[in-house]
Amino acid sequence: KMSEKRLRNIAVYYCQRYLVSGGKLTEHLNRRLYREVTDAEERAGFAALIPKIVANLSDLGLVNDREAASARLRTALRSGYATGAAVTVAARGARVDPSVVSAELEIALTEALPELEVDDHESTEAALEQAALALKRARRGPYRTGTQDEKTRRRDAGWLQRRGFRMEAILHALDIDPLEE
């Protein structure tokens, strides 16, 4: 049976297991309420308690939007997303404002991609190097262990496109001559 104490215990347990933001915790608690409480009035009463629980856990340090966003951002960068796409993915995943994620970008880039040897992370050279690094980590493109033919080159170009890289970076990373293609 759901109670205020049980809802708080669910929140604390979730915060102990995961690095969580306020938005993510709110979403989790609402999902649990929807699953466990069938009466709409009762569910609305418990839903009104959620902001207070989230604020209290945030004051205690169990909920941290900045840390949750930074962790999601580092994961997105490591898995081969371009900088802009990684910010969007991290903001959506952590349920925080993109400006919070953007503030963590410099630190996340140096922690997640130490191989990236560019001073200005907004430059074109950084995007080119980041695309090549994404291919290397995923063992795609010129770093593919099997044979590389036209079909695999198209797949690798599509893979980079879906991760937010621009065509210039894709062509450079895959060593494709734009005049030839």
Side-chain angles (χ1 to χ4, degrees):
K1 183 93 174 132
M2 186 60 72
S3 67
E4 183 177 354
K5 183 178 179 183
R6 181 156 187 268
L7 189 63
R8 182 175 168 73
N9 286 342
I10 290 170
V12 169
Y13 181 72
Y14 189 72
C15 290
Q16 288 172 341
R17 289 189 63 190
Y18 305 106
L19 188 57
V20 64
S21 66
K24 192 74 173 171
L25 180 61
T26 302
E27 180 183 283
H28 175 72
L29 292 175
N30 280 322
R31 207 174 322 122
R32 287 292 297 263
L33 278 178
Y34 185 77
R35 189 172 54 197
E36 294 182 22
V37 180
T38 55
D39 183 39
E41 274 186 33
E42 189 179 358
R43 188 183 308 142
F46 286 122
L49 299 173
I50 291 175
K52 185 178 83 168
I53 292 171
V54 171
N56 182 261
L57 293 178
S58 182
D59 291 343
L60 294 173
L62 291 173
V63 174
N64 191 335
D65 287 356
R66 195 178 58 77
E67 285 296 319
S70 179
R72 290 282 182 155
L73 182 59
R74 289 190 307 268
T75 301
L77 289 169
R78 270 189 230 108
S79 63
Y81 281 91
T83 307
V87 168
T88 303
V89 166
R92 193 176 297 141
R95 308 294 189 269
V96 296
D97 191 61
S99 63
V100 174
V101 181
S102 296
E104 298 296 316
L105 186 60
E106 283 295 318
I107 297 167
L109 275 168
T110 56
E111 289 177 1
L113 305 173
E115 307 97 328
L116 199 62
E117 298 173 359
V118 180
D119 294 331
D120 181 22
H121 296 295
E122 299 293 323
S123 67
T124 306
E125 296 93 32
L128 300 177
E129 197 172 324
Q130 195 175 355
L133 187 59
L135 288 174
K136 184 176 182 180
R137 285 180 168 214
R139 293 188 182 106
R140 290 177 173 264
Y143 306 100
R144 186 179 289 281
T145 54
T147 60
Q148 187 175 357
D149 59 355
E150 187 62 33
K151 186 176 180 180
T152 58
R153 287 174 74 189
R154 267 197 224 112
R155 283 183 178 172
D156 295 339
W159 184 81
L160 284 172
Q161 263 185 326
R162 288 187 298 276
R163 278 162 176 68
F165 288 100
R166 300 204 181 273
M167 192 53 74
E168 178 185 357
I170 294 170
L171 294 175
H172 181 269
L174 292 173
D175 290 328
I176 297 173
D177 185 15
L179 298 176
E180 212 176 88
E181 299 295 319

